[in-house]
Amino acid sequence: KKEKEDLEKLINKKDNTFAFSKYLTILLVALLSFNSVAQETSYVKGNEYVETVPSLATVNNKSTTLSALEKATTLAQAKAIFKKQEKSNTTIPFYIESSEYFLKWDKEYSFEILSTIASLAPNNIKALKAYAFILEGRGAYKKVVNIYNRILALRPDSSQSYRDLALAYEAAGDYELALTLLYQIVYNTIPNVDCSGIQELAYNELRHLLAFHKNKVSFEKLPNELLSLNFKKDIRIVFEWTQPDVDFDVQFVSPERKFFNWTHTRFESKSLLQEEVSQGYAIKEHIIDDAQTGPWIVNMEFLSTERPKNPTYLKYTVFQDYGLPTQTKNTKIIAMKDLQNKVTIDRFVNK
């Protein structure tokens, strides 16, 4: 494929460093391997999907917070209920759920409730990331930039902090800063930060930025291969979670009812979890090129013991036609406590 040829050109480019050449070799293998797994799955016996798995909507247990608030018939009543509950409940889920509820009444008050997380846990990266997830979903990108700057200040050796900040800058319209950060991650040139674990992901996001915003950045000194017009992914699925060292399983089911799994546990993925903690990232992309048309299913099961005051949140994003004008994007923020048993978190149709 043309993309493979572009990568090989970058690998063989004389003025690139050995480290980056080695990275691109790994990237090329990774891109091909996941696609081959998805395609070969159709021919493997014993992986037929015959389960009946409940959907996320059916297993979401309504919290006492929401149950109480939903009894209100006016904004004043809702505020009174919230204030009463806040006297005995200052957990992260309480503020997230209350903020979501108040969107229908008063958006400004809803944001005020949500911002309590930043004042309540100004040094807690896990809580701040959950806060950023919600803000992103609401399109408050300038606030997201501030949160990710705060997270970066708290852990300047975290590779994902730079990536998250880059995407926040891009969403906020500061494409030059986004380009600079992603470029540094791809070339692994940020001082005292090891970005090797997310270089592949950052490479795709850098190509994506250039595909949509090339005319808004200084691209003249970039390798021509980064600027080629053939960049696209049929399906790109990104998982981001707020705490690196948690255990979970992800299952993909193809239109032919064949499944393939990705396991993220201390038992089966010990070295990966150690690398995530060491390098400071909790993110994984799955790319399926030449994907089968028809309905796909994504199941997930959370296997760790949860912390109710500051639980783990997941940001799940699926792109179709990634990098093309026809691209679609769907994002869900999920409390991983709702995934204690296997749950279908998404169904989508690849056309």
Side-chain angles (χ1 to χ4, degrees):
K1 287 188 175 183
K2 184 67 168 58
E3 184 171 8
K4 176 181 177 182
E5 294 171 359
D6 289 343
L7 287 173
E8 287 173 339
K9 287 178 183 178
L10 275 174
I11 292 170
N12 296 323
K13 206 171 182 69
K14 291 182 179 179
D15 59 351
N16 282 337
T17 64
F18 170 78
F20 188 55
S21 297
K22 180 180 178 183
Y23 149 64
L24 282 171
T25 304
I26 295 170
L27 167 58
L28 182 57
V29 171
L31 285 172
L32 297 175
S33 64
F34 186 80
N35 292 335
S36 64
V37 167
Q39 292 164 6
E40 290 173 6
T41 295
S42 299
Y43 306 103
V44 174
K45 294 183 178 180
N47 69 327
E48 289 80 11
Y49 183 70
V50 295
E51 295 179 80
T52 300
V53 178
S55 66
L56 183 62
T58 63
V59 301
N60 277 342
N61 296 318
K62 188 177 293 186
S63 67
T64 55
T65 298
L66 287 178
S67 296
L69 287 170
E70 288 176 353
K71 294 177 181 178
T73 57
T74 66
L75 174 58
Q77 286 181 350
K79 284 185 176 182
I81 292 170
F82 168 74
K83 289 295 183 183
K84 182 178 180 180
Q85 288 192 327
E86 190 179 23
K87 292 178 181 178
S88 58
N89 190 349
T90 56
T91 65
I92 301 303
F94 170 73
Y95 290 107
I96 289 177
E97 292 171 5
S98 298
S99 177
E100 290 289 325
Y101 168 80
F102 275 99
L103 280 174
K104 70 176 185 179
W105 291 107
D106 186 333
K107 288 186 178 180
E108 186 175 340
Y109 189 65
S110 171
F111 273 101
E112 182 182 326
I113 292 172
L114 189 63
S115 67
T116 306
I117 294 173
S119 56
L120 189 69
N123 300 317
N124 189 301
I125 293 176
K126 184 178 181 181
L128 291 174
K129 289 192 76 168
Y131 178 34
F133 285 177
I134 303 300
L135 288 175
E136 285 177 273
R138 298 186 188 179
Y141 300 122
K142 291 184 178 180
K143 292 182 180 180
V144 174
V145 167
N146 292 334
I147 295 300
Y148 282 129
N149 266 309
R150 175 60 182 164
I151 291 173
L152 183 58
L154 290 171
R155 191 176 173 191
D157 64 337
S158 164
S159 61
Q160 190 179 340
S161 296
Y162 295 89
R163 175 265 179 191
D164 290 344
L165 184 57
L167 265 61
Y169 278 133
E170 181 180 356
D174 200 332
Y175 305 112
E176 199 68 54
L177 277 175
L179 172 68
T180 299
L181 287 171
L182 288 173
Y183 187 87
Q184 288 180 307
I185 295 169
V186 168
Y187 281 85
N188 206 3
T189 59
I190 301 173
N192 303 313
V193 180
D194 184 356
C195 297
S196 59
I198 63 167
Q199 281 179 289
E200 176 185 340
L201 176 142
Y203 173 82
N204 288 328
E205 291 173 338
L206 176 57
R207 292 289 306 274
H208 183 270
L209 184 152
L210 291 168
F212 284 91
H213 307 296
K214 176 184 171 184
N215 64 334
K216 299 173 185 174
V217 298
S218 303
F219 63 86
E220 292 78 11
K221 294 183 179 179
L222 294 176
N224 289 332
E225 292 82 359
L226 286 176
L227 304 173
S228 63
L229 301 177
N230 67 325
F231 177 73
K232 71 104 178 175
K233 308 291 181 187
D234 287 350
I235 299 174
R236 180 178 186 252
I237 302 175
V238 183
F239 297 84
E240 302 173 59
W241 53 102
T242 56
Q243 181 174 323
D245 58 341
V246 292
D247 295 352
F248 56 84
D249 285 331
V250 178
Q251 182 180 67
F252 303 92
V253 183
S254 75
E256 292 185 349
R257 306 292 286 183
K258 296 284 189 175
F259 70 83
F260 46 106
N261 298 330
W262 177 57
T263 298
H264 183 274
T265 66
R266 292 172 178 83
F267 180 72
E268 295 191 37
S269 316
K270 182 178 179 181
S271 60
L272 173 62
L273 268 69
Q274 289 175 338
E275 177 182 287
E276 290 172 347
V277 172
S278 173
Q279 295 185 19
Y281 70 92
I283 186 170
K284 175 67 176 178
E285 70 171 2
H286 293 278
I287 292 171
I288 310 175
D289 270 337
D290 301 321
Q292 299 170 15
T293 57
W296 285 76
I297 299 172
V298 182
N299 297 327
M300 193 165 179
E301 183 175 6
F302 187 58
L303 304 171
S304 290
T305 301
E306 196 52 288
R307 302 169 184 175
K309 289 187 176 181
N310 185 16
T312 307
Y313 282 86
L314 170 76
K315 182 167 77 166
Y316 163 87
T317 307
V318 57
F319 300 89
Q320 293 182 261
D321 287 347
Y322 183 71
L324 296 180
T326 53
Q327 172 184 293
T328 61
K329 175 184 177 182
N330 182 38
T331 300
K332 298 180 181 181
I333 310 301
I334 301 170
M336 295 186 79
K337 65 179 177 61
D338 293 330
L339 311 178
Q340 295 288 356
N341 296 302
K342 184 187 285 189
V343 173
T344 295
I345 64 170
D346 194 23
R347 294 174 182 268
F348 61 89
V349 176
N350 185 45
K351 299 179 180 179

